[in-house]
Amino acid sequence: MWSYWVVLPSFVLLWGLIAWLLQSPLLPTPLNVLDTLIRESATGELWHHLGATLGRVVVAFILAMIIGTAIGIVMGRSPTTNALFDPLLVLLLNLPALVTIILMYVWFGLVEVAAVMAVVINKVPNVAVTVREGARSLDYRLEEMATVYEFTRWQRLREVWVPQLFPYLMAATRGGLALIWKIVLVVELLGRSSGVGFQLHMAFQVFDVAAILAYSLAFIAVVQLIELAILQPLERRSSRWRQPEAAHA
């Protein structure tokens, strides 16, 4: 954690020095950005738009993880299914997110469902590819054990598959959050009337760099908090079995 207390303050000091030297409205000082952040928080605008974006991120993330995990497991366990759907998966992986967003808005209109669907479609292939590799690497000896002990499907999923797939699920989760919130901002910029992306678009119209940085930093702080407080502890806890000396300490 010491790196956060060295690198980030050093970056802020460098930013402040450059802004002070340039004296340009295109590069506000950290204090100007902080003032904008406080003002937007006091009016409630920041919390309203931040909440709208987080809501879209949560819904799209949950749907993408569920659908992508199911597809990845099926493709990883069935060579025939993998052969049939792999070309489609490659196509979706290489389809630009902007194209998907535009098509969803053209086909379904500027509605919330279209916005969430665009994000989900862009994320599902990444989750499916990651989980597919995990499903391919499942230990056949544990499968044989589950068969000998007559595990039910639920027991097989909970006791055999999930522990082995968990590192792949965590990789998809951490990469998914980073990807999804970026796509959500583009979705909001193009076709929503609320959210951080919408506010960035409005600030861009008047070249309000302080507002752009304030909203961006606020959302980055929330995503980083989720990473540090939830994802990293969960990953360490789930990987404890890989370190016998730590488990018996």
Side-chain angles (χ1 to χ4, degrees):
M1 293 295 296
W2 64 268
S3 61
Y4 283 89
W5 300 103
V6 174
V7 177
L8 294 182
S10 300
F11 172 76
V12 173
L13 288 175
L14 180 62
W15 168 17
L17 178 62
I18 295 174
W20 178 75
L21 291 174
L22 294 179
Q23 293 292 318
S24 170
L26 298 181
L27 183 61
T29 65
L31 290 178
N32 288 337
V33 175
L34 180 61
D35 180 66
T36 301
L37 191 61
I38 294 173
R39 185 174 65 251
E40 292 294 311
S41 300
T43 61
E45 285 293 304
L46 176 67
W47 307 115
H48 168 69
H49 293 288
L50 195 60
T53 297
L54 285 175
R56 295 180 184 114
V57 168
V58 170
V59 173
F61 174 76
I62 292 174
L63 291 176
M65 287 299 298
I66 292 174
I67 298 171
T69 299
I71 294 174
I73 291 176
V74 172
M75 292 182 69
R77 303 299 294 168
S78 172
T80 302
T81 304
N82 182 68
L84 289 173
F85 288 94
D86 186 66
L88 180 60
L89 201 61
V90 173
L91 174 65
L92 292 175
L93 282 171
N94 290 283
L95 184 66
L98 184 60
V99 174
T100 307
I101 296 168
I102 293 174
L103 288 176
M104 290 299 102
Y105 279 149
V106 169
W107 288 341
F108 300 100
L110 301 178
V111 296
E112 197 69 25
V113 173
V116 173
M117 283 178 59
V119 181
V120 171
I121 291 172
N122 278 288
K123 178 54 188 170
V124 163
N126 299 85
V127 178
V129 168
T130 304
V131 175
R132 179 181 63 179
E133 297 308 311
R136 285 173 173 173
S137 64
L138 292 178
D139 193 335
Y140 73 92
R141 293 170 295 182
L142 295 178
E143 291 286 336
E144 292 175 351
M145 179 204 69
T147 301
V148 169
Y149 284 96
E150 299 180 348
F151 278 20
T152 63
R153 290 184 178 274
W154 170 247
Q155 288 176 316
R156 190 182 297 264
L157 175 66
R158 186 185 62 187
E159 306 293 344
V160 178
W161 289 6
V162 170
Q164 297 181 77
L165 289 174
F166 198 85
Y168 298 91
L169 291 173
M170 286 303 302
T173 297
R174 298 178 71 176
L177 276 180
L179 177 65
I180 281 179
W181 82 262
K182 295 172 186 176
I183 299 176
V184 166
L185 293 188
V186 179
V187 168
E188 293 174 343
L189 186 146
L190 291 177
R192 306 309 301 142
S193 59
S194 63
V196 174
F198 171 74
Q199 285 297 97
L200 294 179
H201 175 67
M202 298 300 293
F204 169 71
Q205 298 297 318
V206 293
F207 292 95
D208 188 351
V209 180
I212 293 174
L213 292 175
Y215 275 93
S216 299
L217 292 175
F219 196 71
I220 290 172
V222 172
V223 174
Q224 190 67 20
L225 181 63
I226 295 173
E227 169 76 15
L228 295 175
I230 300 176
L231 296 184
Q232 289 188 10
L234 182 61
E235 185 176 29
R236 287 195 296 268
R237 184 179 180 84
S238 66
S239 302
R240 196 177 299 170
W241 64 276
R242 295 178 179 271
Q243 303 170 354
E245 67 279 1
H248 297 289

